[in-house]
């Protein structure tokens, strides 16, 4: 699985750090792990320990048919979610010195270019001949199920470059042409889950009828439009005022009013 191309489907569901394009404008702390609010550093450390243990002891949930496991191992992929939540509760600000470092930027760009070279060796035999055999053995297999560290560091490199050159308050991000993309990012998890069902539908359509280039482009474009429409509906739904009042809130307000009169 390519290091670059596969990040499109790898990262759709991730809650992005504060400065990334897809960070929600209306961040709700209830959507973040409780530990990241009370003990963010300890939670991140525990997540890293769980990741290492899962890979070391080969932990995963059983799946169907018998003998198989979950394709995305939750014991490993939780590290990506927890890291994003950690950034969202203030960890991103702690990394500003690293984000602004020229050395870190050079390493990130070098890593991205190296990943691009590895991907292109799959399509250009000349480039494949340039890669030493020992390097191929060191890189492969790039495990997707258990979130290979090469994938995670590639994500970090991409996040560093994007955060440095495209911060959240950048002028281009206010363009109405990018609004559909930002809406999908603000509702990344439901859009990702919805996209999974759409992918099955698209696959069925292409298998039943035709798999030509134009047909694939039309089906893909239709899927994008549907996901943007779903994100718009979710965004509008959040702006609808809540007409129901929690009983506890009502009692607290009533008690406060009575104490004020007294």
């Amino acid at each position: 699985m390519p290091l670059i191309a596969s990040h499109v489907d790898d990262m759709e569901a991730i809650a992005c750090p504060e400065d990334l394009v897809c960070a929600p404008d209306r961040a709700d702390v209830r959507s973040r792990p409780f530990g990241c609010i009370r003990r963010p550093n300890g939670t991140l450390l525990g997540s890293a320990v769980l990741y290492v243990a899962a890979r070391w002891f080969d932990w995963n949930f059983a799946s169907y048919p018998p003998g198989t496991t979950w394709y995305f191992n939750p014991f490993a992929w939780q590290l990506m979610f927890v890291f994003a939540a950690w950034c969202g509760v203030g960890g991103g600000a702690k990394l500003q010195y690293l984000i602004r470092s020229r050395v870190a930027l050079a390493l990130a760009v070098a890593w991205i270019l190296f990943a691009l070279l590895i991907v292109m060796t799959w399509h250009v035999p000349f480039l494949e001949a340039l890669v030493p055999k020992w390097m191929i053995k060191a890189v492969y297999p790039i495990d997707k199920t258990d979130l290979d560290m090469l994938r995670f560091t590639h994500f970090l490199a991409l996040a560093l470059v994007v955060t440095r050159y495209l911060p959240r308050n950048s002028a281009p991000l206010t363009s109405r042409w990018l609004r559909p993309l930002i809406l999908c990012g603000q509702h990344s998890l439901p859009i990702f889950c919805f996209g999974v069902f759409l992918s099955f539908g698209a696959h069925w359509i292409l298998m039943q009828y035709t798999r030509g280039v134009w047909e694939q482009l039309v089906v893909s474009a239709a899927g994008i439009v549907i996901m943007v429409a779903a994100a718009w509906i979710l965004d509008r739904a959040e702006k609808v005022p809540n007409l129901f009042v929690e009983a506890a809130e009502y009692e607290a307000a009533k008690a406060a009013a009575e104490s004020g009169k007294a």
Side-chain angles (χ1 to χ4, degrees), residues 104-159:
L105 176 63
L107 292 175
V109 172
W111 182 235
I112 294 173
L113 293 177
F114 172 75
L116 177 61
L117 172 63
I118 294 298
V119 171
M120 293 307 297
T121 59
W122 298 10
H123 308 283
V124 183
F126 170 74
L127 293 177
E128 183 179 6
L130 297 179
V131 181
K133 298 298 182 182
W134 64 266
M135 185 176 295
I136 294 296
K137 292 181 180 180
V139 169
Y140 292 103
I142 307 174
D143 189 10
K144 187 172 186 178
T145 295
D146 296 321
L147 184 59
D148 193 289
M149 187 50 62
L150 296 178
R151 290 182 175 275
F152 185 61
T153 53
H154 185 255
F155 160 74
L156 295 179
L158 288 173

Side-chain angles (χ1 to χ4, degrees), residues 16-21 23 32 84 87-93 168:
C16 297
E18 287 178 328
D19 290 333
L20 297 185
V21 175
R32 297 171 180 142
C87 290
V89 296
R168 188 179 177 185

